[in-house]
Amino acid sequence: MADTNKTAKLTIDGKDYELPILSPTSGPDVIDIRKLYAQAGVFTYDPGFTSTAACDSTITYIDGDKGELQHRGYSIEDLASKSHYLEVCYLLLYGELPTRAEMEKFETTITRHTMIHEQMHYFFRGFRRDSHPMATMVGVVGAMSAFYHDSTDVSDERQREVASHRLIAKMPTIAAMAYKYSIGQPFVYPRNDLDYAANFIHMCFAVPAEEYKVDPILARAMDRIFTLHADHEQNASTSTVRLASSSGANPFACIAAGIACLWGPAHGGANQACLEMLKEIGTVDRIPEFIARAKDKNDPFRLMGFGHRVYKNMDPRAIVMKESADEVLELLGVENNPLLQVAKELEKIALSDPYFIEKKLFPNVDFYSGIILEAMGFPTSMFTPIFALSRTVGWISQWKEQLGDPQMKIGRPRQLFLGEKLREYVPVDER
Ligand code: SDX
């Protein structure tokens, strides 16, 4: 912990309290309030955790004002253009970029864990065909706890390692199976001769009736989308995974909890909601109507894919995603995609509107991703499962980090109680 000799003084009812200030490698100082309740008998109050650091971490750093994102010190721009997803997985898990030999060993390990237990295929049969693939993923990933008993003991470092590899390897298989099940097509097994992104595309779009060649353009775009979603500090779903893990729950249960949280439209579900919004807008001339709704306090409508708790500048992932959208759509021959035109015009209009400028609302990672995914052939219902697939390595890396922290305690927030004081029970005939 970055102790300093600085303190913050708090005066309550005339009594002074000195609270230690801890300084990070990058970012704001933090006031250590761990002893506050014991010393002063008061809680701090921060619904939504807008000013609260829930842990320390060495994995991902975000500067919201500058719009910067780094994984283990490497910028997302560098990783998206020079690295690839499995290398980013290694970096997030182990803290350093791998040597060629380390990368080959890691890639072989992941490749050889991509199949799921054959018995798990029957889980899918229990769902309606029109189930949202996220519902299927929550169920099937949670059910991994019922199959992989040799990697559920979180106190065993080797079991933690095996669980990490199994989850990173099997998530594409499960996501692809959820998709195939939803369209009534047979499951396609993973192939060890394809790389991670190509394998996922093959499992989604191949059919037994004919050979399917993965377009390298799609595979590269898919890999970049995976990288852009890999980890993002203490976001809602990562915090959910950390809180679940703090009770000692097994890794599969913790990741299922993260998938459930990510599903919400305020979080990872925004990529699906954003594309549906762009379709509802339909044409550039209807943009002002939706901008007005987004600004109307009495209208719950929000511009999906806009705004962020941390970024008060452009989300650097949105910038890379926008460049990728131009590139992929042109290569796929759909550069005149009307949704892309609406998205670009919406961004331009919103970023010149005083409401969005004042509230520092910029496009986030979910604003352009859906346009690329739809152009690649995915239905909107698969957008958030792809986000979940990508973020699994982030959840797992943060999960591992927390389990390795000797200071780890079960997460147990308190409350500001505004309910009834103690009162006598009233018999029903006297109410
Ligand atoms: C992700 O945390 C992460 O890192 C998440 C993520 C990751 O990688 O894990 O980056 C992924 O979840 C990205 C965000 C995807 N969500 C959306 O695109 C949904 C639309 N955006 C919002 O609902 C909202 O911006 C949030 C949820 C993202 C952030 O909400 P905050 O930080 O709680 O901000 P807020 O709701 O308090 O909004 C501040 C103000 C409000 O106005 P006032 O009450 O101050 O007058 O800005 C307004 C909001 O009404 N506002 C919007 C808006 N987002 C915020 N107004 C219109 N459209 C929007 N999109």
Side-chain angles (χ1 to χ4, degrees), residues 229-291:
H229 289 84
D231 188 51
H232 211 242
E233 201 217 67
Q234 305 311 318
N235 59 84
S237 53
T238 297
S239 301
T240 300
V241 171
R242 279 181 172 261
L243 197 55
S245 169
S246 73
S247 75
N250 76 68
F252 307 111
C254 293
I255 299 305
I259 296 171
C261 177
L262 184 78
W263 194 359
H267 190 14
N271 52 19
Q272 173 174 346
C274 180
L275 200 85
E276 287 162 356
M277 174 192 74
L278 292 173
K279 287 181 174 175
E280 190 185 354
I281 295 173
T283 54
V284 169
D285 61 331
R286 290 196 64 203
I287 289 175
E289 171 196 337
F290 284 82
I291 294 271

Side-chain angles (χ1 to χ4, degrees), residues 40 49 52 75 97 103 142 174 202 212 216 241 273-274 297 367 370 375 411:
F49 311 119
T52 293
S75 75
L97 290 170
M103 190 64 234
I174 292 168
H202 185 265
Y212 176 85
V241 171
C274 180
K297 275 271 159 268
F367 189 63

Side-chain angles (χ1 to χ4, degrees), residues 4-12 14-22 30-40 42:
T4 70
N5 56 8
K6 294 189 290 184
T7 60
K9 183 188 285 186
L10 195 57
T11 302
I12 302 173
K15 190 170 179 205
D16 291 345
Y17 300 90
E18 297 275 326
L19 298 168
I21 290 179
L22 309 176
V30 302
I31 299 173
D32 183 348
I33 58 165
R34 283 175 289 184
K35 294 190 170 62
L36 179 63
Y37 180 56
Q39 291 172 354
V42 295

Side-chain angles (χ1 to χ4, degrees), residues 50-68:
T50 52
S51 303
T52 293
C55 63
D56 48 65
S57 178
T58 61
I59 299 173
T60 290
Y61 174 67
I62 302 171
D63 184 319
D65 293 328
K66 295 179 186 165
E68 290 175 0

Side-chain angles (χ1 to χ4, degrees), residues 53-341:
C55 63
D56 48 65
S57 178
T58 61
I59 299 173
T60 290
Y61 174 67
I62 302 171
D63 184 319
D65 293 328
K66 295 179 186 165
E68 290 175 0
L69 167 59
Q70 295 158 16
H71 294 314
R72 304 288 192 182
Y74 297 96
S75 75
I76 193 62
E77 292 84 357
D78 265 2
L79 294 172
S81 58
K82 298 169 185 165
S83 183
H84 58 88
Y85 181 69
L86 271 193
E87 184 176 76
V88 173
C89 287
Y90 187 99
L91 175 66
L92 290 169
L93 281 170
Y94 302 112
E96 297 296 336
L97 290 170
T99 63
R100 195 175 294 280
E102 288 167 336
M103 190 64 234
E104 277 174 23
K105 181 169 181 276
F106 182 68
E107 191 144 24
T108 301
T109 301
I110 297 300
T111 300
R112 293 189 179 285
H113 276 82
T114 48
M115 286 206 300
I116 66 170
H117 192 295
E118 195 69 7
Q119 195 72 13
M120 288 184 73
H121 287 214
Y122 298 103
F123 274 121
F124 289 83
R125 306 260 176 264
F127 291 93
R128 287 174 41 151
R129 288 284 179 174
D130 61 354
S131 304
H132 194 293
M134 283 296 277
T136 314
M137 286 186 76
V138 169
V140 174
V141 172
M144 288 173 79
S145 321
F147 278 86
Y148 299 105
H149 299 123
D150 59 343
S151 59
T152 51
D153 178 356
V154 296
S155 65
D156 179 325
E157 190 169 346
R158 179 60 192 147
Q159 292 201 30
R160 292 206 296 264
E161 183 91 22
V162 172
S164 305
H165 293 159
R166 278 176 166 153
L167 278 158
I168 292 167
K170 297 179 193 314
M171 206 57 86
T173 309
I174 292 168
M177 291 173 79
Y179 171 54
K180 284 302 203 184
Y181 186 74
S182 74
I183 58 174
Q185 287 189 359
F187 299 140
V188 174
Y189 284 88
R191 276 182 33 185
N192 293 354
D193 62 319
L194 297 175
D195 68 32
Y196 193 88
N199 205 6
F200 175 64
I201 291 171
H202 185 265
M203 288 189 285
C204 288
F205 298 130
V207 288
E210 59 187 29
E211 190 185 357
Y212 176 85
K213 291 288 285 170
V214 178
D215 181 334
I217 297 164
L218 293 190
R220 178 68 195 134
M222 191 80 265
D223 190 274
R224 184 176 295 170
I225 287 175
F226 289 164
T227 294
L228 291 172
H229 289 84
D231 188 51
H232 211 242
E233 201 217 67
Q234 305 311 318
N235 59 84
S237 53
T238 297
S239 301
T240 300
V241 171
R242 279 181 172 261
L243 197 55
S245 169
S246 73
S247 75
N250 76 68
F252 307 111
C254 293
I255 299 305
I259 296 171
C261 177
L262 184 78
W263 194 359
H267 190 14
N271 52 19
Q272 173 174 346
C274 180
L275 200 85
E276 287 162 356
M277 174 192 74
L278 292 173
K279 287 181 174 175
E280 190 185 354
I281 295 173
T283 54
V284 169
D285 61 331
R286 290 196 64 203
I287 289 175
E289 171 196 337
F290 284 82
I291 294 271
R293 284 187 57 196
K295 293 158 62 175
D296 179 355
K297 275 271 159 268
N298 301 316
D299 188 331
F301 173 79
R302 287 193 166 184
L303 279 189
M304 302 316 283
F306 258 79
H308 199 278
R309 171 61 57 75
V310 177
Y311 289 121
K312 301 311 172 190
N313 201 324
M314 275 297 278
D315 180 334
R317 302 168 297 177
I319 296 171
V320 178
M321 201 74 82
K322 182 178 176 181
E323 290 160 5
S324 196
D326 282 329
E327 179 190 318
V328 171
L329 269 60
E330 186 182 345
L331 290 169
L332 292 174
V334 286
E335 62 271 27
N336 298 321
N337 179 309
L339 290 179
L340 182 58
Q341 305 319 321

